[in-house]
Amino acid sequence: MMKRKYHQTDLISMAEDQSEEFRKFILDNREIIEKILNEGKEEEKKKSRKDEIKENIGERIGETKDKAISTSDAILTVATDSEVQKHFITGCLEFLHFFEAVIKAAPLSPEVREAVEKYQRAGDDTVRNIVSVGAQDRMASIKIDDADPVPKKAAPKKKSGSIPINDLSDASKKKKTE
């Protein structure tokens, strides 16, 4: 193959002709070309936006988890406080007494009053059973340590037929008796 050599002026005129065609092509297809050029940028924007959202969600999850843990710790601290429990139980019992007084004072038909009394007896029996079982369990789990324990008396030792070597007094008594 033989290479064709172009003169510099020929190249310039060809470039001008082609550049005009190229320019026209670009102007006619400008929207398509912009879409093609912006596809990569849009994908990068979407990816970076997704990463940003993921990071934001991760941070919010961590913050929410920390808040939940601190809140549950605070609630547990309050709920396990013996003073709070004592007042809570007292308040509940007072409310039950209040409710019982309201029922006694309310104008109820005999059938309703009988049903309420049965319900109260059943509740009272249940509470008594729970308290007695709890007390039995509690008593069974309490270890009792005597402040001044009574020493156990040692059981008398049985004498064997052999005589201890260092015990000469017993040996002399046995010989005399024999």
Side-chain angles (χ1 to χ4, degrees):
M1 250 196 214
M2 189 174 151
K3 284 190 174 181
R4 192 169 180 192
K5 291 190 177 184
Y6 292 102
H7 193 272
Q8 189 174 8
T9 54
D10 291 337
L11 290 173
I12 293 174
S13 67
M14 280 178 28
E16 286 177 357
D17 291 341
Q18 286 180 352
S19 68
E20 191 60 39
E21 286 178 37
F22 188 65
R23 186 170 184 267
K24 186 176 179 185
F25 173 80
I26 290 175
L27 291 174
D28 291 342
N29 299 304
R30 182 179 184 153
E31 291 177 14
I32 296 171
I33 294 171
E34 284 179 352
K35 272 187 179 178
I36 293 170
L37 293 174
N38 289 331
E39 276 182 6
K41 291 179 184 177
E42 287 177 13
E43 287 178 17
E44 286 180 25
K45 284 181 184 178
K46 285 180 184 178
K47 286 181 183 178
S48 65
R49 180 71 178 143
K50 284 181 183 179
D51 292 339
E52 190 177 306
I53 290 171
K54 284 180 184 178
E55 186 178 312
N56 190 8
I57 288 173
E59 288 175 3
R60 293 174 102 189
I61 287 172
E63 290 171 3
T64 305
K65 184 179 176 182
D66 292 342
K67 285 180 184 178
I69 289 172
S70 67
T71 302
S72 66
D73 287 347
I75 290 171
L76 188 62
T77 301
V78 170
T80 57
D81 184 38
S82 61
E83 194 69 20
V84 170
Q85 288 178 353
K86 181 176 81 173
H87 289 293
F88 177 73
I89 296 297
T90 304
C92 289
L93 292 174
E94 285 296 322
F95 178 75
L96 290 175
H97 290 299
F98 161 76
F99 191 64
E100 185 178 347
V102 168
I103 289 175
K104 284 182 181 178
L108 301 173
S109 68
E111 295 86 15
V112 173
R113 189 164 299 284
E114 185 180 332
V116 168
E117 288 173 0
K118 282 182 183 178
Y119 175 76
Q120 285 177 339
R121 280 194 299 272
D124 291 344
D125 291 344
T126 302
V127 169
R128 277 192 211 98
N129 288 339
I130 290 171
V131 168
S132 86
V133 169
Q136 289 170 357
D137 289 347
R138 179 81 173 153
M139 290 304 293
S141 66
I142 293 175
K143 183 179 177 183
I144 300 173
D145 292 329
D146 290 335
D148 190 18
V150 179
K152 294 181 180 178
K153 293 182 180 178
K157 293 182 181 178
K158 293 182 180 178
K159 293 186 177 181
S160 64
S162 63
I163 300 172
I165 297 175
N166 294 336
D167 194 3
L168 297 176
S169 62
D170 285 340
S172 61
K173 288 180 187 176
K174 282 191 177 184
K175 284 184 184 178
K176 288 180 185 177
T177 58
E178 290 180 1

